[in-house]
Amino acid sequence: MTDPPLSRPPTPVLAVEHLTAAFGQARVIDDVSFEIGEGETLGLVGESGSGKSMTALSIMRLLPTGGRIAGGRLLYRGRDLLSLGEEEMRRVRGADIALIFQEPASALNPVFTIGDQIAEALTVHGRATPRDARDRAVELLRAVRVADPESRIADYPHQLSGGQRQRVTIAIAIACRPSLLIADEPTTALDVTIQAQILDLLREMRSAFKLSMLLITHDFGVVAGTADRVAVMRAGRIVETGPVRQILRAPQHPYTRELLDAIPAARAQPPASSHGAR
């Protein structure tokens, strides 16, 4: 009688392995490793300058001029993104992995209408014909709860509020149904009420489109209500990682405790989903 085959854990959607990025000799990301599973949200938390946004830009291979990835691997469903040519990587951006930027005003082109920008995301990746793209743009705006989407597609970014612009960037990000969404401080530029609405929307989109998500923030309160696991980043390194409930209740690293002490209510706020027990 033969033994049953050993079960293997599923391949993560994204596995960052020993990632190092530098500007000249200065390392902005230093030997960083983490994984994001299917349908999971990982919160990447740290103060400004800790390397969070550079991690996001490294995954997308969009580091600013002078930046370079000096080591490691970026495995998207087992395929190393660092091995891809630029044309292949362009096909990954938006279609497989999408990025929501911190400041929606700078992420949107001021000279094109909202409808044109959503349509471009669809047509560039062959997800809609130019004729169909307008109808899809309206559907996407409705999905992210932009009022009167049939009229709004003709608006320019400056005609929208900050919250509406961020909803548009989310619509563009989910247009091609990516499996991984990177949200880089998606609520920082918004007032408290709109922040809560945008976080609710991200949770709704994750469920509706079965997204995995890397949620980048300096705010443990955001992570507590949205993420399943958390990785704490300081000076380009991951100093602590684990399930959200565990980190909130028993942080091990002094820096994690400092971040939590700055937001006392975060300790008692449980995650929004059942994945937190992982």
Side-chain angles (χ1 to χ4, degrees):
M1 181 175 177
T2 59
D3 292 331
L6 294 174
S7 60
R8 295 182 178 179
T11 301
V13 174
L14 180 73
V16 176
E17 297 182 350
H18 306 291
L19 178 66
T20 298
F23 286 79
Q25 297 302 311
R27 292 186 175 188
V28 293
I29 305 169
D30 192 0
D31 195 29
V32 163
S33 298
F34 59 79
E35 293 184 351
I36 303 175
E38 199 79 47
E40 181 181 51
T41 295
L42 175 70
L44 185 60
V45 183
E47 60 194 340
S48 297
S50 61
K52 307 184 305 297
S53 292
M54 286 300 168
T55 300
L57 294 174
S58 295
I59 294 168
M60 300 298 285
R61 284 180 43 186
L62 290 173
L63 283 172
T65 302
R68 61 187 174 86
I69 295 177
R73 297 200 300 170
L74 297 169
L75 301 177
Y76 172 73
R77 298 196 179 280
R79 181 171 62 157
D80 190 358
L81 298 178
L82 299 181
S83 71
L84 303 184
E86 182 53 36
E87 183 60 34
E88 288 180 289
M89 192 63 204
R90 272 198 293 268
R91 289 196 290 268
V92 169
R93 295 187 196 111
D96 298 311
I97 306 174
L99 174 61
I100 299 172
F101 289 96
Q102 180 173 342
E103 177 46 66
S106 60
L108 297 171
N109 192 319
V111 301
F112 290 100
T113 67
I114 297 306
D116 285 342
Q117 294 184 63
I118 300 174
E120 181 184 24
L122 292 162
T123 56
V124 162
H125 291 287
R127 302 302 172 92
T129 65
R131 177 175 295 184
D132 295 333
R134 181 188 181 280
D135 290 340
R136 288 282 292 118
V138 171
E139 291 172 9
L140 285 160
L141 287 179
R142 186 174 291 115
V144 298
R145 302 201 293 274
V146 170
D148 193 16
E150 292 85 358
S151 299
R152 284 299 193 185
I153 61 168
D155 285 349
Y156 291 86
H158 74 271
Q159 295 175 276
L160 305 179
S161 68
Q164 289 171 328
R165 284 194 292 264
Q166 193 63 292
R167 290 176 189 275
V168 171
T169 65
I170 295 171
I172 292 172
I174 66 172
C176 295
R177 303 290 179 92
S179 56
L180 175 63
L181 185 64
I182 301 174
D184 185 8
E185 298 272 12
T187 62
T188 295
L190 307 173
D191 67 44
V192 174
T193 302
I194 303 302
Q195 284 181 17
Q197 293 175 6
I198 294 299
L199 289 172
D200 283 344
L201 179 60
L202 287 174
R203 287 190 286 264
E204 182 182 314
M205 294 300 101
R206 181 179 82 160
S207 176
F209 296 99
K210 296 179 171 58
L211 293 166
S212 301
M213 193 183 309
L214 176 61
L215 178 62
I216 295 172
T217 180
H218 64 277
D219 185 347
F220 249 110
V222 170
V223 165
T226 307
D228 306 308
R229 290 187 303 112
V230 61
V232 181
M233 196 168 202
R234 182 186 189 191
R237 287 178 170 268
I238 301 293
V239 298
E240 185 167 4
T241 186
V244 169
R245 288 181 184 273
Q246 174 184 311
I247 298 296
L248 292 178
R249 291 173 178 171
Q252 299 300 304
H253 196 278
Y255 178 66
T256 307
R257 290 196 289 270
E258 287 177 17
L259 292 176
L260 284 167
D261 287 344
I263 316 168
R267 286 185 184 273
Q269 189 174 359
S273 77
S274 61
H275 292 290
R278 291 183 183 181

